[in-house]
Amino acid sequence: MKEEKYIETATAHFKELLKSQIARAQNIEHNSAVTDFAQKKQIKIGLCSGDGIGPIIINSAKKILTVLLKKELQENKIIFEEINGLTIENRIKQGASVPEDVLIQIKSCDVFLKGPTTTPDTQYYGKNIESANVTLRRELDLFANVRPIKIPSKNIDWVFFRENTEGEYALGSQGIDIDDILAMDFKVTTNSGTRRIARAAFEYAKQNGKKNVTIVTKANILKKTDGKFLDICSEIAKEYPEINTTHKYIDIMCANLIDKNTRDKFEVFVLPNLYGDIITDEAAQIQGGVGTAGSANIGSRYAMFEAIHGSAPQMIIDGLLEYVNSESILRASEMMLRHIGFTDYANTLDFALNECKIIVDGTKNGATTQEFTEEIINIINTKLM
């Protein structure tokens, strides 16, 4: 029967997926060495433009980082590496989400700043290729997606720790399509993967004087995967008795973020991949839009810093390239500077972004990217004098 053939094919496919995920889970346990940037004589920062508005915002970031890191660049303690080839055109041509030569370039860097990348689909591009971000997170094992949101006037100071390599995204392009009957995708939660994201969140809270960590799941419905995530995070929480740990379901958590009576009570969040992707965009919108928020993707060896918004092809179509807001990638640059140990420079960049009165809103009524960039540089130079 046709149904039996479908089941046989699907079972064989699922068996291979299980093998790969078991191997990945075991590999996590054996790859925990962390880069100590204080001991490095030279740090290589990759600059990867991506596509769409990516080259515009990366150029803005490079100009500002060049001012901040002037001394280190002159002394060769910091070097920039231009990484090309992650454009939509090249990825479609090679049929790869991240071409091998580009991946080799990225792996030669200690950290890298990445512009947004368009994910090709069959409707518009003729090919359905996996997201470059998903590939990079998997290949570089960037398990922690860290996204801070701060609005002092509203007493909001949130940091989201989104698990970055599992959940629905781990096998997002490897589901099963059964003819005209049904389609199935898979969600993965490993003990080792959950343990390390939970510990990253609680360690951050401990080291930064935060008193509240909120675990976010849908464990009442997804009892195996989200249930495991909740159980393991709750176990890790016991090691931090000084921190108040609560649990929220993702739907009510989304509501709580816009509730002015409750949202300022939250500080640190730890949550699975898909929920983290969605809720951090909501949080960024509360802050002022996705163009205002940065994002860090951190692993034991590598780290990727990026804007949380996409490649904005409509801005190109509308002829608005010179009006792109680069604040998000600059917020990511601030996070990168902290990650590699340049806290004073990070504080200076944060100060400049907060002091800047120029508004770039993505329209011709606002300022240009160049005007915004030059004003940030002026504020930095004044502060560094």
Side-chain angles (χ1 to χ4, degrees), residues 130-372:
E130 183 179 60
S131 158
N133 273 13
V134 171
T135 300
L136 287 169
R137 289 165 185 164
R138 182 179 63 245
E139 292 294 326
L140 304 178
D141 197 24
L142 306 175
F143 66 87
N145 184 209
V146 185
R147 295 183 174 184
I149 297 292
K150 184 180 292 187
I151 315 171
S153 63
K154 298 178 181 178
N155 199 31
I156 289 174
D157 188 358
W158 300 327
V159 180
F160 296 85
F161 279 78
R162 166 195 174 196
E163 201 295 315
N164 215 18
T165 58
E166 300 189 354
E168 295 83 356
Y169 288 34
L171 302 171
S173 62
Q174 300 180 60
I176 297 171
D177 195 358
I178 307 296
D179 208 16
D180 294 325
I181 302 173
L182 59 86
M184 292 183 69
D185 282 317
F186 304 102
K187 179 169 181 169
V188 180
T189 299
T190 68
N191 290 35
S192 50
T194 304
R195 197 175 294 116
R196 65 182 181 177
I197 190 65
R199 194 170 299 285
F202 279 96
E203 276 296 310
Y204 173 87
K206 178 181 177 180
Q207 293 169 14
N208 290 274
K210 305 299 182 182
K211 300 301 182 184
N212 300 291
V213 172
T214 305
I215 306 164
V216 183
T217 72
K218 195 63 177 171
N220 56 332
I221 303 299
L222 298 169
K223 297 183 182 297
K224 296 299 183 183
T225 50
D226 280 22
K228 179 182 287 293
F229 191 93
L230 175 58
D231 288 345
I232 292 174
C233 287
S234 298
E235 283 298 313
I236 296 294
K238 293 176 182 177
E239 300 176 23
Y240 301 84
E242 73 280 11
I243 295 173
N244 177 46
T245 303
T246 56
H247 171 244
K248 293 280 186 179
Y249 295 127
I250 181 61
D251 41 1
I252 194 62
M253 188 70 255
C254 288
N256 286 162
L257 289 193
I258 59 172
D259 185 343
K260 296 178 182 178
N261 296 317
T262 61
R263 63 189 185 185
D264 62 352
K265 307 296 189 296
F266 299 101
E267 292 183 308
V268 178
F269 304 81
V270 58
L271 62 175
N273 207 331
L274 178 61
Y275 311 146
D277 192 7
I278 295 169
I279 204 171
T280 51
D281 276 12
E282 180 194 14
Q285 193 63 36
I286 295 169
Q287 180 175 255
V290 293
T292 68
S295 176
N297 299 268
I298 298 171
S300 299
R301 167 66 180 86
Y302 301 101
M304 173 175 76
F305 300 83
E306 60 180 342
I308 73 168
H309 57 70
S311 57
Q314 191 61 46
M315 291 194 73
I316 300 173
I317 294 171
D318 294 342
L320 296 172
L321 264 183
E322 63 181 304
Y323 299 95
V324 170
N325 188 349
S326 61
E327 182 176 353
S328 183
I329 199 70
L330 296 179
R331 292 291 181 188
S333 300
E334 177 198 334
M335 297 173 76
M336 181 183 72
L337 290 170
R338 294 190 193 282
H339 183 73
I340 62 177
F342 292 97
T343 305
D344 289 344
Y345 293 154
N347 290 339
T348 299
L349 179 53
D350 178 53
F351 173 83
L353 288 167
N354 293 334
E355 286 293 307
C356 184
K357 306 305 180 190
I358 288 181
I359 305 298
V360 184
D361 60 8
T363 73
K364 293 180 181 179
N365 295 322
T368 65
T369 317
Q370 182 175 341
E371 290 168 339
F372 177 70

Side-chain angles (χ1 to χ4, degrees), residues 64-101:
I64 290 166
L65 287 171
T66 299
V67 172
L68 283 166
L69 296 167
K70 180 179 179 180
K71 179 174 179 289
E72 288 72 19
L73 287 165
Q74 289 176 342
E75 295 175 350
N76 221 30
K77 292 180 179 178
I78 296 281
I79 58 173
F80 290 148
E81 175 82 6
E82 299 281 351
I83 300 171
N84 301 307
L86 207 60
T87 62
I88 183 70
E89 294 82 7
N90 190 46
R91 286 180 287 133
I92 290 174
K93 179 181 177 181
Q94 298 202 35
S97 57
V98 180
E100 186 61 30
D101 60 326

